[in-house]
Amino acid sequence: MARRILVTSALPYANGPIHLGHLVEYIQTDIWARFQRLRGHECYYVCADDAHGTPIMLKARERGIRPEDLIEEMGRAHQRDFADFLIEFDCYHSTHSEENRYFAELIYQRLDAGGHIERRTISQLYDPKEGMFLPDRYIKGTCPRCGAADQYGDSCEVCSATYTPADLTDPISVVSGETPELRESEHYFFRLQDFEALLQEWATSGRLQEEVANKLAEWFREGLRDWDISRDAPYFGFRIPGTEDKYFYVWLDAPIGYMASFRRLCQERGLDFDAFWAAGSEGDTELYHFIGKDIAYFHTLFWPAMLHGASFRMPDAVFCHGFLTVDGQKMSKSRGTFITARSYLDELDPEYLRYYFAAKLGPSVEDIDLSLEDFTQRVNSDVVGKLVNIASRCASFIDKLFDGRLATGLAAPELYREFTAQAERIADLYEERDFARAMREIMGLADQANQYIDAEKPWQLAKDPAQRDAVQKICTLGLNLFRVLTVYIKPVLPGLANDAEAFLNLPEQSWADIQTPLLDCAVNPFNPLKTRIDPRQVEAMVDASKETLGGGDNPAKTAGRLAQDPIGEEITIDDFAKLDLRVAEVKAAEAVEGADKLLRLELDLGGETRQVFAGVRQAYAPEQLTGRLVVCVANLKPRKMRFGISEGMVLCAGPGGKELWIISPEEGAEPGMRVK
């Protein structure tokens, strides 16, 4: 039965460009929404620019333009970046819209009428030079607890203390540099504690990930606090009805942007807004929010309480994801790893990042890491070396020997059925947002398809005219397996899937289409669907992202040298002479638990036994190395690893991953012999 689903992502702030950390969320959401449509469900994906607040007002002032001009400029840039990353919104709007104003005022008025808004006079720091009350992040001073200087007005980055701006010692306005003064002002508060029982029930009903539900339990134990939903003029946003100088805090109207974007979509397509948002619509339609873990408080407490208090439905679930690190560290402008969407797109195929993120994303809120070396190797190995390779190995035979026509039958129909039998398992993984396991399952099938082609050797059979029918059936099966895999991976690689459909002469494919194989039909000449990443492309992206020179080691250059750069840094003959290269026999080899790439080797160097950890696990099984002679750097300083001490290095060649070959000495060599 077809489902009716509305999906949203958190709104990007309209004062800066989209970067790779943002893209984790939008790619994750887009994959899930595309999967739902591929399964035949009615699924809408909406988003908008978060366009209000003090930072936007001040940035526009700094540039000498109106805030409206700034957010329009950023909105165009954001939508261009999203479109180029194949993120397919049904509607992308702005919180600075009449739809958003309407719902912000409606929700406020309903909450006020229900007794959930309280007015209270508070003291705040005021910048007399700028004539404005200062948000916490626009005040700096000395931490009242540890004495650290230059700390923001809400928390200390040194000792992690939290406080109010008035608690700071020697506070300074970030806007003007002046000393702010304490002034009183009336503010409007949302009484969150009125909804505590409702929120506790909602949070424990399976709508949240376990980690998020546990965090909410902590917040409930600490006690829910009223939420200040107002800001004083000057402020860029919507004025609160019935006031002259009070504005809705940006965080009130930001999530309301989900409703505003969907209202715009409803107007464009004639959809029923209330069917997805009215109280009581639960069960008939589904509502899901994808967000970062840092904004869980707003989306799992304030937002559902606001919706319920204003007689709208609450979300079916809120899905949180973790942060992105690059090469194991926070994104850095000096290292060139604070990478904008446009810097990436200037050098690399957007689908490669979509695949890499999918291969890392699971249903938890754990952070994910973009390792630039691993990114290059995994994309080249999986997308090009496994998936696309199936089509390229079979298509030329069909084109040249059979005029581009597939056989009337499959060489091994049971293998085709084995592939299509995985459809529901892979669908379940997508549904649960376990994209990483789904990618492993799909690439495991791609390995199986390549192994089948290796075993049947159509290139050899094609030399014998009597085997031509067999060649056609083998390659027809290969292309059918490729077609199944492109449907499975279509939510992640929609561009590749579309190109594959064009090559196979197919209309747009759905999940159910794979159950019927392609037989006795024409396909088009094959053109390469994807090309390998050149590590120099990654290096260029990192260099373009550097804010300053001398930003430390360039991980992309390291990846390039490891993968396929022809020449590394020059050394002298004296440097080379320092290496003591010895023949060693692998006496034992075993996988290292907790390390995807390492094997632990016991090497015999002619009476001396060494333990070496070698990153060859993807290329060699332990049994393939036992008893083999290898070349070892015997005088390498031992390195302490978390798995033990590595007492040398085994020499290998190749770009890495599965394409890695251990260098073997000539026949007649014995353990302990020096290599010259």
Side-chain angles (χ1 to χ4, degrees):
M1 182 177 176
R3 296 155 58 188
R4 305 183 69 199
I5 306 169
L6 175 58
V7 185
T8 77
S9 296
L11 313 187
Y13 202 48
N15 72 334
I18 301 299
H19 56 69
L20 299 196
H22 292 129
L23 286 169
V24 171
E25 179 170 314
Y26 303 101
I27 288 174
Q28 181 188 38
T29 316
D30 184 71
I31 290 171
W32 199 78
R34 283 180 180 272
F35 163 72
Q36 300 297 347
R37 299 186 195 111
L38 193 60
R39 291 280 279 179
H41 301 308
E42 180 184 351
C43 182
Y44 304 103
Y45 179 19
V46 301
C47 196
D49 266 6
D50 184 0
H52 289 156
T54 301
I56 285 173
M57 178 184 72
L58 294 177
K59 184 165 187 176
R61 181 189 301 177
E62 177 186 325
R63 291 183 53 186
I65 61 177
R66 299 184 311 145
E68 291 85 352
D69 297 329
L70 174 64
I71 63 176
E72 184 177 347
E73 173 190 319
M74 293 310 307
R76 288 194 301 267
H78 288 178
Q79 291 184 65
R80 184 171 62 250
D81 288 345
F82 286 138
D84 288 348
F85 268 98
L86 307 181
I87 295 167
E88 192 174 61
F89 299 109
D90 290 282
C91 180
Y92 192 89
H93 204 22
S94 169
T95 58
H96 192 64
S97 66
E98 287 308 309
E99 294 92 347
N100 211 46
R101 183 193 302 273
Y102 168 78
F103 283 113
E105 291 180 354
L106 177 65
I107 288 174
Y108 166 77
Q109 288 165 347
R110 288 182 177 179
L111 293 175
D112 193 26
H116 305 301
I117 302 296
E118 183 177 296
R119 292 150 183 84
R120 191 185 312 160
T121 298
I122 64 171
S123 296
Q124 286 181 290
L125 289 179
Y126 182 85
D127 186 329
K129 182 177 180 180
E130 293 294 328
M132 61 181 290
F133 285 96
L134 294 168
D136 295 351
R137 302 296 283 183
Y138 282 83
I139 305 164
K140 281 192 171 183
T142 300
C143 173
R145 176 180 293 180
C146 72
D150 201 33
Q151 297 303 306
Y152 286 110
D154 53 358
S155 64
C156 177
E157 294 180 345
V158 176
C159 71
S160 300
T162 59
Y163 40 72
T164 68
D167 296 327
L168 284 172
T169 303
D170 301 323
I172 293 294
S173 166
V174 174
V175 182
S176 68
E178 296 290 316
T179 300
E181 57 190 44
L182 206 59
R183 290 193 182 183
E184 290 187 340
S185 176
E186 184 181 55
H187 273 239
Y188 295 60
F189 290 82
F190 173 53
R191 293 176 50 83
L192 182 62
Q193 66 269 29
D194 292 353
F195 301 91
E196 182 168 359
L198 170 82
L199 291 170
Q200 285 184 325
E201 180 182 355
W202 180 81
T204 56
S205 59
R207 301 172 187 272
L208 305 174
Q209 293 133 299
E210 183 179 358
E211 305 99 313
V212 180
N214 291 340
K215 190 64 181 177
L216 257 69
E218 291 181 24
W219 291 332
F220 287 130
R221 286 195 294 271
E222 293 170 359
L224 301 182
R225 296 187 295 272
D226 293 347
W227 181 33
D228 187 347
I229 62 168
S230 62
R231 292 296 183 266
D232 291 285
Y235 192 80
F236 183 59
F238 295 139
R239 193 165 64 242
I240 298 176
T243 73
E244 293 298 324
D245 59 353
K246 305 294 180 185
Y247 290 79
F248 288 126
Y249 176 41
V250 60
W251 260 110
L252 180 126
D253 67 55
I256 293 172
Y258 305 143
M259 304 173 77
S261 291
F262 189 64
R263 168 58 68 87
R264 170 61 67 92
L265 181 65
C266 290
Q267 293 167 346
E268 293 173 349
R269 298 193 189 178
L271 302 175
D272 182 358
F273 178 88
D274 289 339
F276 287 83
W277 285 101
S281 61
E282 301 91 339
D284 295 326
T285 59
E286 302 169 45
L287 172 62
Y288 301 101
H289 301 307
F290 285 75
I291 63 165
K293 63 182 180 181
D294 56 323
I295 55 175
Y297 199 100
F298 291 100
H299 281 80
T300 60
L301 291 175
F302 296 133
W303 178 234
M306 283 169 51
L307 288 170
H308 183 81
S311 298
F312 290 106
R313 62 95 57 81
M314 298 163 71
D316 287 282
V318 176
F319 301 132
C320 296
H321 62 81
F323 299 135
L324 176 72
T325 58
V326 179
D327 284 322
Q329 302 180 56
K330 289 183 178 180
M331 292 190 294
S332 163
K333 290 182 179 179
S334 64
R335 289 191 298 269
T337 56
F338 191 94
I339 302 166
T340 66
R342 191 50 50 184
S343 295
Y344 177 98
L345 290 164
D346 286 343
E347 302 294 339
L348 291 160
D349 186 327
E351 290 199 294
Y352 291 159
L353 189 69
R354 289 178 65 98
Y355 176 75
Y356 191 77
F357 281 172
K360 291 275 190 171
L361 281 165
S364 73
V365 297
E366 293 180 0
D367 296 346
I368 69 171
D369 183 56
L370 168 58
S371 162
L372 295 173
E373 177 189 343
D374 183 50
F375 166 72
T376 301
Q377 293 181 353
R378 185 174 298 203
V379 168
N380 287 346
S381 173
D382 289 2
V383 177
V384 182
K386 294 181 182 180
L387 181 59
V388 173
N389 194 42
I390 300 168
S392 63
R393 299 177 80 183
C394 297
S396 59
F397 294 108
I398 295 295
D399 186 38
K400 294 175 182 178
L401 300 181
F402 308 104
D403 295 324
R405 195 159 195 87
L406 300 182
T408 58
L410 302 175
E414 68 281 0
L415 182 58
Y416 183 80
R417 289 193 295 271
E418 185 178 336
F419 271 50
T420 57
Q422 300 304 311
E424 289 309 307
R425 169 167 172 72
I426 293 172
D428 288 343
L429 294 174
Y430 272 120
E431 181 69 39
E432 296 302 318
R433 308 175 319 287
D434 199 345
F435 300 159
R437 290 184 65 187
M439 295 308 101
R440 289 198 295 271
E441 295 284 343
I442 292 168
M443 289 305 159
L445 292 173
D447 278 334
Q448 199 173 339
N450 280 297
Q451 290 162 6
Y452 168 78
I453 297 167
D454 288 338
E456 296 300 323
K457 297 179 172 56
W459 55 90
Q460 289 186 4
L461 295 178
K463 299 174 184 178
D464 182 358
Q467 296 293 331
R468 292 292 176 87
D469 287 348
V471 171
Q472 188 180 22
K473 288 184 177 180
I474 291 167
C475 293
T476 295
L477 175 58
L479 292 180
N480 270 276
L481 299 180
F482 170 72
R483 178 250 193 152
V484 171
L485 296 178
T486 57
V487 171
Y488 285 160
I489 209 166
K490 189 173 182 178
V492 179
L493 304 177
L496 172 64
N498 290 342
D499 291 342
E501 289 166 356
F503 156 58
L504 295 171
N505 236 355
L506 289 170
E508 184 175 348
Q509 297 288 280
S510 72
W511 197 265
D513 289 335
I514 62 171
Q515 298 303 324
T516 303
L518 305 177
L519 299 172
D520 194 24
C521 58
V523 298
N524 293 313
F526 179 77
N527 293 311
L529 298 175
K530 293 290 181 186
T531 57
R532 294 171 62 86
I533 295 174
D534 184 336
R536 285 180 287 264
Q537 295 172 276
V538 180
E539 181 179 338
M541 174 186 69
V542 171
D543 286 342
S545 301
K546 284 189 175 179
E547 185 178 56
T548 59
L549 296 175
D553 289 339
N554 184 337
K557 289 182 178 177
T558 304
R561 289 197 296 269
L562 288 172
Q564 66 181 56
D565 273 0
I567 299 174
E569 183 179 343
E570 290 184 347
I571 63 173
T572 68
I573 189 64
D574 293 331
D575 292 327
F576 182 74
K578 295 176 182 178
L579 297 178
D580 185 1
L581 304 179
R582 300 289 180 115
V583 176
E585 181 182 1
V586 181
K587 305 298 290 185
E590 62 182 13
V592 177
E593 185 176 353
D596 295 334
K597 299 179 181 179
L598 294 180
L599 292 179
R600 190 187 73 83
L601 308 179
E602 287 184 16
L603 304 183
D604 177 8
L605 278 74
E608 178 186 3
T609 301
R610 299 272 189 94
Q611 173 178 265
V612 171
F613 291 94
V616 297
R617 184 171 175 178
Q618 294 176 328
Y620 293 91
E623 58 269 22
Q624 291 177 285
L625 297 182
T626 304
R628 181 167 177 169
L629 295 181
V630 298
V631 176
C632 174
V633 182
N635 64 334
L636 186 68
K637 183 178 180 179
R639 179 186 175 196
K640 185 177 181 181
M641 306 175 71
R642 65 188 179 97
F643 313 102
I645 304 294
S646 186
E647 302 169 296
M649 177 182 289
V650 173
L651 298 190
C652 303
K658 288 193 172 183
E659 297 179 36
L660 194 65
W661 298 276
I662 285 180
I663 297 174
S664 298
E666 296 180 357
E667 285 187 37
E670 295 181 357
M673 289 180 60
R674 187 184 298 273
V675 178
K676 296 185 178 180

